Amino acid sequence: MHPYPHTYVASASAESAGFVAITSPRLPSLATAPPAQFDGPGDLWSPETLLCASLADCFILTFRAVARAARLKWLSLECRVEGVLERVGQVSQFTRYTTFARLTVPAEADAIKARAEHGCLIANSLRGARVLEAQVIVANPGTAREVTEAAELAS
């Protein structure tokens, strides 16, 4: 890892109508638009869906790093984030983020070690309540057992 501080750059450009192009050096461009909830087309990434995608992506990348350090063997991790946008006073803001994580580990893995971590730096940078609903699936030949956890996390 590079020493802190880290700086990240993204840009956006648009005409008076149509989608917004977001770019960052050495990355492919993305077309964005308002979500359907704000009368957008609903078929392009929006700032709101990008925020939730960032949380899901960061969760998996953070888990990879933690699992590597703990020498935890795992097979797959699926993560879905639901963000709730509400009117608070005079402004709209995200008030809650629920992360649904499903981890599959091989039979020889330590299921206790596999407990989901929620140390994502993106999530730690946001306001709003955070909830983690995690499932750990232990894959055995012919059978699988499942452990489910739910936790409200400090915001």
Side-chain angles (χ1 to χ4, degrees):
M1 183 167 75
H2 295 238
Y4 289 107
H6 298 176
T7 302
Y8 303 91
V9 177
S11 301
S13 61
E15 303 293 325
S16 61
F19 67 86
V20 175
I22 58 174
T23 61
S24 186
R26 301 181 334 156
L27 298 176
S29 297
L30 286 176
T32 70
Q37 296 89 329
F38 285 109
D39 300 324
D43 62 351
L44 293 173
W45 286 95
S46 70
E48 296 82 0
T49 54
L50 285 166
L51 175 62
C52 292
S54 292
L55 291 168
D57 187 32
C58 189
F59 182 91
I60 289 177
L61 294 174
T62 300
F63 182 84
R64 271 187 184 167
V66 169
R68 187 177 318 116
R71 299 185 196 279
L72 171 69
K73 292 181 182 178
W74 58 285
L75 302 172
S76 66
L77 176 57
E78 300 168 29
C79 181
R80 177 173 53 90
V81 173
E82 293 179 2
V84 177
L85 183 69
E86 296 184 282
R87 193 82 171 153
V88 178
Q90 299 297 314
V91 298
S92 297
Q93 72 181 53
F94 280 91
T95 58
R96 183 178 197 82
Y97 307 93
T98 303
T99 300
F100 299 91
R102 183 181 171 117
L103 174 67
T104 303
V105 297
E108 69 274 8
D110 182 348
I112 299 300
K113 255 191 197 178
R115 292 182 43 150
E117 296 290 327
H118 203 55
C120 165
L121 64 94
I122 303 296
N124 292 341
S125 300
L126 300 175
R127 286 192 288 178
R130 293 187 292 144
V131 176
L132 172 62
E133 292 192 19
Q135 294 178 303
V136 177
I137 308 298
V138 179
N140 290 323
T143 64
R145 65 188 155 103
E146 184 175 315
V147 178
T148 302
E149 290 186 18
E152 181 105 11
L153 302 165
S155 47

